Amino acid sequence: MNRVYYPYEEFREDLKILANKIDKPFDAILCIARGGMTMAHLLGEYFDMREVYSVNTIGYEDTQKNESVEVFNIPELKSAKSVLILDDIVDSGDTLIEVLNVLSEKYPEVTFMTASLFYKKSAKIAPDWCVKEATKWIDFFWTVDLKQ
Amino acid sequence: MNRVYYPYEEFREDLKILANKIDKPFDAILCIARGGMTMAHLLGEYFDMREVYSVNTIGYEDTQKNESVEVFNIPELKSAKSVLILDDIVDSGDTLIEVLNVLSEKYPEVTFMTASLFYKKSAKIAPDWCVKEATKWIDFFWTVDLKQ
């Protein structure tokens, strides 16, 4: 598959676009680690919001070759009414779906919204806001820059 | 106080230096949100480590004007034996000291190590590894880049 490098400068501009698209209020940010962490950091600063949390996931194939996702380290959302969930890319959508399931079950009174930089048309779920369709493998700067 | 802008390119080079300084093994990364999140993301990728967690803190002055720090959203460290704690800057040191206290109490069997990009000579604790002394107010790129 073709690969494309995604540099910091492009990320910064895309994140500005994403921030401007988000037209509903939220009072906490929750990123899916590791992919959403840098986004969450910059958006937390941009929205002057200290309630920036992370959640961990592990994806694995079960014996029937279905993708299963385990979600752990779910944060205490305190008094949050509306939470913005962030990930870098919505690929199959399995991770985002399971994160939404687990969080909605634990916090039925909280509204969850989702945003990503990239999405694939084939994903089983579309984020509420996103910036670009992913048509190639993306080498995000946070994945490759320290190795160069 | 003089301010200095800290761009992504400088961060990337400093983080390479920091990564090379860390000469003890660890099996999980824990960042102090929000400041350590971007570092944790890139270092998690660099060390090919999916165990990247975050913890939240709130600092406030008590009635005697002492700085108090509340630490919350402490992750499950699973089977980690040695954890690298990350923050962008060790300023007074109060946050890092309290994070170490809380984590060491909850996980007495785990070894905790600390690293930051910047430190102040006046801090009450020195990180195990760091890169630069902070002599001015630092406008980190993650704080200001989306606002420009």
Side-chain angles (χ1 to χ4, degrees):
Chain A
M1 188 192 279
N2 280 336
R3 303 172 77 106
V4 59
Y5 174 58
Y6 188 65
Y8 173 73
E9 293 70 22
E10 187 176 350
F11 163 76
R12 185 188 58 210
E13 296 311 308
D14 287 348
L15 201 55
K16 286 182 188 175
I17 293 169
L18 187 64
N20 282 317
K21 283 188 175 193
I22 298 169
D23 55 358
K24 291 182 182 170
F26 57 94
D27 44 21
I29 291 171
L30 187 150
C31 64
I32 300 176
R34 297 168 296 188
M37 292 184 80
T38 299
M39 296 170 66
H41 191 178
L42 273 78
L43 288 178
E45 293 279 0
Y46 178 74
F47 289 113
D48 198 19
M49 190 172 284
R50 303 184 72 88
E51 294 78 10
V52 179
Y53 310 128
S54 71
V55 72
N56 294 93
T57 65
I58 298 176
Y60 53 91
E61 286 185 355
D62 65 20
T63 49
Q64 279 76 44
K65 298 277 179 192
N66 293 314
E67 175 90 4
S68 295
V69 178
E70 183 195 352
V71 181
F72 57 104
N73 286 332
I74 299 162
E76 180 58 46
L77 295 181
K78 301 216 169 202
S79 56
K81 291 184 176 67
S82 185
V83 175
L84 180 66
I85 299 174
L86 297 177
D87 206 354
D88 50 356
I89 178 166
V90 178
D91 195 320
S92 70
D94 288 325
T95 299
L96 188 56
I97 287 170
E98 190 57 22
V99 167
L100 278 168
N101 283 345
V102 169
L103 286 167
S104 300
E105 189 168 347
K106 181 162 181 179
Y107 297 108
E109 74 287 4
V110 176
T111 301
F112 293 100
M113 302 174 292
T114 58
S116 72
L117 292 166
F118 289 91
Y119 69 98
K120 282 195 179 167
K121 279 189 177 171
S122 56
K124 299 173 190 132
I125 183 173
D128 294 308
W129 301 283
C130 55
V131 183
K132 286 176 171 169
E133 185 187 349
T135 55
K136 298 177 179 175
W137 178 271
I138 299 157
D139 283 323
F140 291 98
F141 71 89
W142 48 69
T143 304
V144 298
D145 273 11
L146 291 192
K147 298 172 183 169
Q148 287 167 340
Chain B
M1 188 193 277
N2 279 336
R3 304 172 77 106
V4 58
Y5 175 59
Y6 188 66
Y8 173 74
E9 293 70 22
E10 187 175 349
F11 163 76
R12 184 187 61 210
E13 297 311 309
D14 286 349
L15 201 55
K16 287 182 187 175
I17 293 168
L18 187 64
N20 282 317
K21 283 188 174 192
I22 298 169
D23 55 358
K24 292 182 182 169
F26 57 94
D27 44 22
I29 290 171
L30 187 151
C31 64
I32 300 175
R34 297 169 297 190
M37 293 184 80
T38 300
M39 296 170 66
H41 191 178
L42 273 79
L43 288 178
E45 293 279 0
Y46 178 74
F47 289 113
D48 198 19
M49 191 171 284
R50 302 184 72 87
E51 294 78 9
V52 179
Y53 310 128
S54 70
V55 72
N56 294 92
T57 65
I58 298 175
Y60 52 91
E61 285 185 354
D62 65 19
T63 47
Q64 279 77 45
K65 298 278 177 188
N66 294 313
E67 176 89 5
S68 295
V69 179
E70 183 195 352
V71 181
F72 57 104
N73 286 333
I74 300 163
E76 180 57 47
L77 295 181
K78 301 216 169 203
S79 56
K81 291 184 177 66
S82 185
V83 175
L84 180 65
I85 299 174
L86 297 177
D87 206 354
D88 51 356
I89 178 168
V90 178
D91 195 320
S92 70
D94 288 324
T95 299
L96 188 56
I97 287 171
E98 190 57 22
V99 167
L100 278 168
N101 283 346
V102 169
L103 286 167
S104 299
E105 188 167 349
K106 181 163 181 178
Y107 297 109
E109 74 287 5
V110 176
T111 300
F112 293 100
M113 301 174 293
T114 58
S116 71
L117 292 166
F118 288 92
Y119 70 99
K120 282 197 179 167
K121 279 189 177 171
S122 55
K124 298 173 190 130
I125 184 174
D128 293 309
W129 302 282
C130 56
V131 183
K132 286 176 172 168
E133 185 186 351
T135 55
K136 298 176 180 177
W137 178 270
I138 298 158
D139 283 322
F140 291 97
F141 71 90
W142 50 68
T143 304
V144 297
D145 273 11
L146 292 192
K147 298 172 184 171
Q148 287 168 339

